[in-house]
PDB file of all heavy atoms in Angstrom:
ATOM      1  N   GLN A 964       4.769  17.779  20.106  1.00 92.00           N
ATOM      2  CA  GLN A 964       5.347  16.922  19.104  1.00 92.00           C
ATOM      3  C   GLN A 964       6.810  17.322  18.949  1.00 92.00           C
ATOM      4  O   GLN A 964       7.315  18.413  19.147  1.00 92.00           O
ATOM      5  CB  GLN A 964       4.768  17.290  17.695  1.00 92.00           C
ATOM      6  CG  GLN A 964       5.103  16.393  16.646  1.00 92.00           C
ATOM      7  CD  GLN A 964       4.394  16.625  15.249  1.00 92.00           C
ATOM      8  OE1 GLN A 964       3.344  17.412  15.288  1.00 92.00           O
ATOM      9  NE2 GLN A 964       4.847  16.045  14.201  1.00 92.00           N
ATOM     10  N   HIS A 967      10.887  18.634  14.166  1.00 95.00           N
ATOM     11  CA  HIS A 967      10.945  17.895  12.911  1.00 95.00           C
ATOM     12  C   HIS A 967      10.851  18.932  11.783  1.00 95.00           C
ATOM     13  O   HIS A 967      10.546  20.134  11.943  1.00 95.00           O
ATOM     14  CB  HIS A 967       9.769  16.890  12.706  1.00 95.00           C
ATOM     15  CG  HIS A 967       8.358  17.615  12.820  1.00 95.00           C
ATOM     16  ND1 HIS A 967       7.885  18.076  13.977  1.00 95.00           N
ATOM     17  CD2 HIS A 967       7.580  18.042  11.894  1.00 95.00           C
ATOM     18  CE1 HIS A 967       6.676  18.689  13.779  1.00 95.00           C
ATOM     19  NE2 HIS A 967       6.413  18.684  12.486  1.00 95.00           N
ATOM     20  N   ASP A 969       8.578  19.273   8.301  1.00 96.00           N
ATOM     21  CA  ASP A 969       7.368  18.560   7.794  1.00 96.00           C
ATOM     22  C   ASP A 969       7.640  17.669   6.609  1.00 96.00           C
ATOM     23  O   ASP A 969       6.815  16.670   6.481  1.00 96.00           O
ATOM     24  CB  ASP A 969       6.367  19.616   7.476  1.00 96.00           C
ATOM     25  CG  ASP A 969       5.592  20.243   8.686  1.00 96.00           C
ATOM     26  OD1 ASP A 969       5.648  19.651   9.768  1.00 96.00           O
ATOM     27  OD2 ASP A 969       5.092  21.415   8.519  1.00 96.00           O
ATOM     28  N   TRP A1060       5.072  28.748   7.996  1.00 98.00           N
ATOM     29  CA  TRP A1060       6.475  28.127   7.930  1.00 98.00           C
ATOM     30  C   TRP A1060       6.773  27.566   6.642  1.00 98.00           C
ATOM     31  O   TRP A1060       5.966  27.113   5.927  1.00 98.00           O
ATOM     32  CB  TRP A1060       6.763  27.420   9.158  1.00 98.00           C
ATOM     33  CG  TRP A1060       6.237  26.001   9.295  1.00 98.00           C
ATOM     34  CD1 TRP A1060       6.421  24.862   8.575  1.00 98.00           C
ATOM     35  CD2 TRP A1060       5.095  25.614  10.278  1.00 98.00           C
ATOM     36  NE1 TRP A1060       5.776  23.813   9.071  1.00 98.00           N
ATOM     37  CE2 TRP A1060       4.894  24.237  10.025  1.00 98.00           C
ATOM     38  CE3 TRP A1060       4.313  26.379  11.195  1.00 98.00           C
ATOM     39  CZ2 TRP A1060       3.835  23.621  10.896  1.00 98.00           C
ATOM     40  CZ3 TRP A1060       3.316  25.710  11.880  1.00 98.00           C
ATOM     41  CH2 TRP A1060       3.159  24.296  11.696  1.00 98.00           C
ATOM     42  N   HIS A1066      10.684  22.496  13.565  1.00 98.00           N
ATOM     43  CA  HIS A1066       9.702  22.985  14.534  1.00 98.00           C
ATOM     44  C   HIS A1066       9.075  21.887  15.300  1.00 98.00           C
ATOM     45  O   HIS A1066       9.191  20.725  14.995  1.00 98.00           O
ATOM     46  CB  HIS A1066       8.557  23.839  13.919  1.00 98.00           C
ATOM     47  CG  HIS A1066       7.840  23.007  13.049  1.00 98.00           C
ATOM     48  ND1 HIS A1066       8.290  22.554  11.698  1.00 98.00           N
ATOM     49  CD2 HIS A1066       6.554  22.346  13.121  1.00 98.00           C
ATOM     50  CE1 HIS A1066       7.384  21.873  11.024  1.00 98.00           C
ATOM     51  NE2 HIS A1066       6.356  21.656  11.943  1.00 98.00           N
ATOM     52  N   HIS A1084      -1.591  22.240   6.097  1.00 98.00           N
ATOM     53  CA  HIS A1084      -0.390  22.159   5.140  1.00 98.00           C
ATOM     54  C   HIS A1084      -0.913  22.534   3.655  1.00 98.00           C
ATOM     55  O   HIS A1084      -2.079  22.158   3.307  1.00 98.00           O
ATOM     56  CB  HIS A1084       0.163  20.790   5.234  1.00 98.00           C
ATOM     57  CG  HIS A1084       0.875  20.463   6.484  1.00 98.00           C
ATOM     58  ND1 HIS A1084       0.324  19.757   7.528  1.00 98.00           N
ATOM     59  CD2 HIS A1084       2.077  20.875   6.940  1.00 98.00           C
ATOM     60  CE1 HIS A1084       1.101  19.770   8.562  1.00 98.00           C
ATOM     61  NE2 HIS A1084       2.248  20.484   8.273  1.00 98.00           N
ATOM     62  N   LYS A1139       1.089  12.639   8.395  1.00 44.00           N
ATOM     63  CA  LYS A1139       0.553  12.804   9.724  1.00 44.00           C
ATOM     64  C   LYS A1139      -0.867  12.587   9.879  1.00 44.00           C
ATOM     65  O   LYS A1139      -1.614  13.542   9.699  1.00 44.00           O
ATOM     66  CB  LYS A1139       1.050  14.156  10.313  1.00 44.00           C
ATOM     67  CG  LYS A1139       2.509  14.051  10.583  1.00 44.00           C
ATOM     68  CD  LYS A1139       2.911  15.339  11.293  1.00 44.00           C
ATOM     69  CE  LYS A1139       3.027  16.415  10.507  1.00 44.00           C
ATOM     70  NZ  LYS A1139       3.611  17.632  11.129  1.00 44.00           N
TER      71      LYS A1139
HETATM   72 FE1  FE2 B 621       5.095  19.920  11.644  1.00 64.89          FE
END
Side-chain angles (χ1 to χ4, degrees):
Q964 193 175 344
H967 62 282
D969 281 340
W1060 71 76
H1066 65 280
H1084 293 103
K1139 286 189 288 192

